[in-house]
Amino acid sequence: MKIDKNHPRYFSLSLREKLTGGIRAGITSEAGLIAHGRGEAFDYLIGEKTHDFAKKAIKAGAAYLLLAKKPIISVNGNAAALCAKEIIELAKLLNSRIEVNLFHYSRSRQIKIEAYLKKLDGKRILKANNFKKIKIPGVASKRAIVLGCGIGESDCILIPLEDGDRAEALRKMGKKVIAIDLNPLSRTARSATVTIVDNIARCLPKLYDAIKLLRKKDIKKLTGIISEYDNKRILSEAEAKIRYARSEKRAK
Ligand code: PTJ
């Protein structure tokens, strides 16, 4: 369906189109639509905008990714359908790799997502077939299987729309985890080093801009940003926004 740019819900409707397109292309899982619906509900409550709490997290996330020796971006079926181009651009800017890692694993979907991303940039994608795999301890899904030379060796991972299990397990392995999750109450949000409570489609271009700006800064400046950052406080601010939105809507 072609969405009229003047439609008041253009942004939200165009994301739905991308996801249903992702299903038709064999990239997104059916459960991905449900996950997206949950995200939409939280986005509605925060007024579908990038708030200060997200901007602060974007800045801290950018600093962590720039300080990392081996940053990596983990991509699933939703992230690929919504933001493939932005993910590639980010990987180029960071000189990082991209690894496809799925919760509702199927080999066919893995291959299709890898091929889709590879078409946009051949150099960035670590193809699962070509490398040795390892198992992350404490993850009760296929998400536990990662590439030794990818997520296995990385010190900082960007995980958009993750499930809580793996986020916690990655932290236990001593890795820095930058999550993008509209739900500030989720286990992923609570266990990440930095949680960007914003829509992936809105915040990735902002993360790109923050990295571009901060990459000119020295290590002292970047470590300063990190040491001032408090993820618990950011999550409380996001939660407060949601509670306030609820009482505001009731009052009308
Ligand atoms: O492609 P797969 O098999 O790896 O599956 C991907 C999904 C997203 C289906 C899988 O990881 C999953 O089931 O995730 P969850 O546990 O439902 O968590 C998804 C989280 O992302 C929820 O907290 C949602 O609120 C949030 N979310 C959904 N859409 C967006 C979002 N956050 C940011 N931007 C969105 N567009």
Side-chain angles (χ1 to χ4, degrees):
M1 183 174 122
K2 187 157 167 37
I3 317 285
D4 189 326
K5 282 209 163 132
N6 296 315
H7 193 288
R9 302 211 48 76
Y10 173 76
F11 174 74
S12 177
L13 293 174
S14 60
L15 296 192
R16 286 185 179 188
E17 280 304 303
K18 285 185 178 178
L19 277 178
T20 47
I23 301 248
R24 286 191 295 275
I27 284 173
T28 309
S29 72
E30 288 176 2
L33 294 182
I34 300 169
H36 185 75
R38 178 150 50 151
E40 271 192 354
F42 281 101
D43 210 7
Y44 180 77
L45 288 172
I46 63 165
E48 295 176 338
K49 62 181 255 194
T50 306
H51 290 274
D52 274 354
F53 50 78
K55 288 180 189 161
K56 287 181 232 168
I58 287 169
K59 193 172 170 189
Y64 271 111
L65 287 163
L66 283 167
L67 284 171
K69 288 194 175 69
K70 260 195 143 183
I72 194 158
I73 306 174
S74 179
V75 172
N76 62 29
N78 284 45
L82 291 174
C83 295
K85 273 193 204 129
E86 290 80 359
I87 288 166
I88 298 281
E89 289 309 314
L90 204 61
K92 277 193 205 163
L93 185 66
L94 282 167
N95 193 24
S96 79
R97 293 304 188 90
I98 298 169
E99 179 172 338
V100 176
N101 180 272
L102 302 178
F103 181 71
H104 307 279
Y105 177 82
S106 87
R107 196 172 132 76
S108 128
R109 205 152 61 83
Q110 171 102 24
I111 289 169
K112 280 183 182 154
I113 298 173
E114 286 174 352
Y116 177 52
L117 293 171
K118 201 160 189 265
K119 239 197 248 170
L120 299 173
D121 186 305
K123 280 193 272 176
R124 301 283 146 198
I125 325 303
L126 292 172
K127 287 178 93 179
N129 266 350
N130 300 345
F131 302 100
K132 215 175 138 207
K133 294 164 191 72
I134 60 160
K135 196 165 184 235
I136 300 177
V139 179
S141 73
K142 285 267 173 72
R143 269 226 158 121
I145 314 292
V146 300
L147 301 181
C149 64
I151 289 170
E153 276 179 11
S154 66
D155 52 348
C156 184
I157 309 167
L158 178 64
I159 50 164
L161 284 62
E162 181 83 7
D163 63 293
D165 248 24
R166 197 176 66 134
E168 273 176 6
L170 291 170
R171 283 307 303 281
K172 278 191 191 141
M173 290 172 85
K175 296 176 191 295
K176 306 292 180 206
V177 171
I178 317 300
I180 299 172
D181 193 333
L182 277 160
N183 177 5
L185 304 167
S186 74
R187 255 183 329 131
T188 300
R190 308 240 147 220
S191 53
T193 316
V194 172
T195 310
I196 304 170
V197 182
D198 197 9
N199 197 311
I200 182 176
R202 247 189 339 261
C203 74
L204 278 191
K206 294 183 173 72
L207 181 60
Y208 181 94
D209 290 345
I211 291 169
K212 209 163 176 193
L213 190 80
L214 288 177
R215 73 183 173 150
K216 294 178 195 125
K217 309 286 180 198
D218 57 22
I219 291 183
K220 202 170 152 219
K221 169 81 185 165
L222 298 177
T223 48
I225 292 170
I226 284 171
S227 61
E228 274 170 25
Y229 182 77
D230 178 351
N231 205 47
K232 275 203 183 117
R233 203 177 66 216
I234 291 299
L235 292 175
S236 306
E237 286 174 20
E239 211 183 310
K241 180 75 215 166
I242 289 167
R243 287 184 195 282
Y244 176 68
R246 282 171 50 201
S247 54
E248 207 181 31
K249 282 185 203 304
R250 262 202 301 270
K252 277 184 187 165

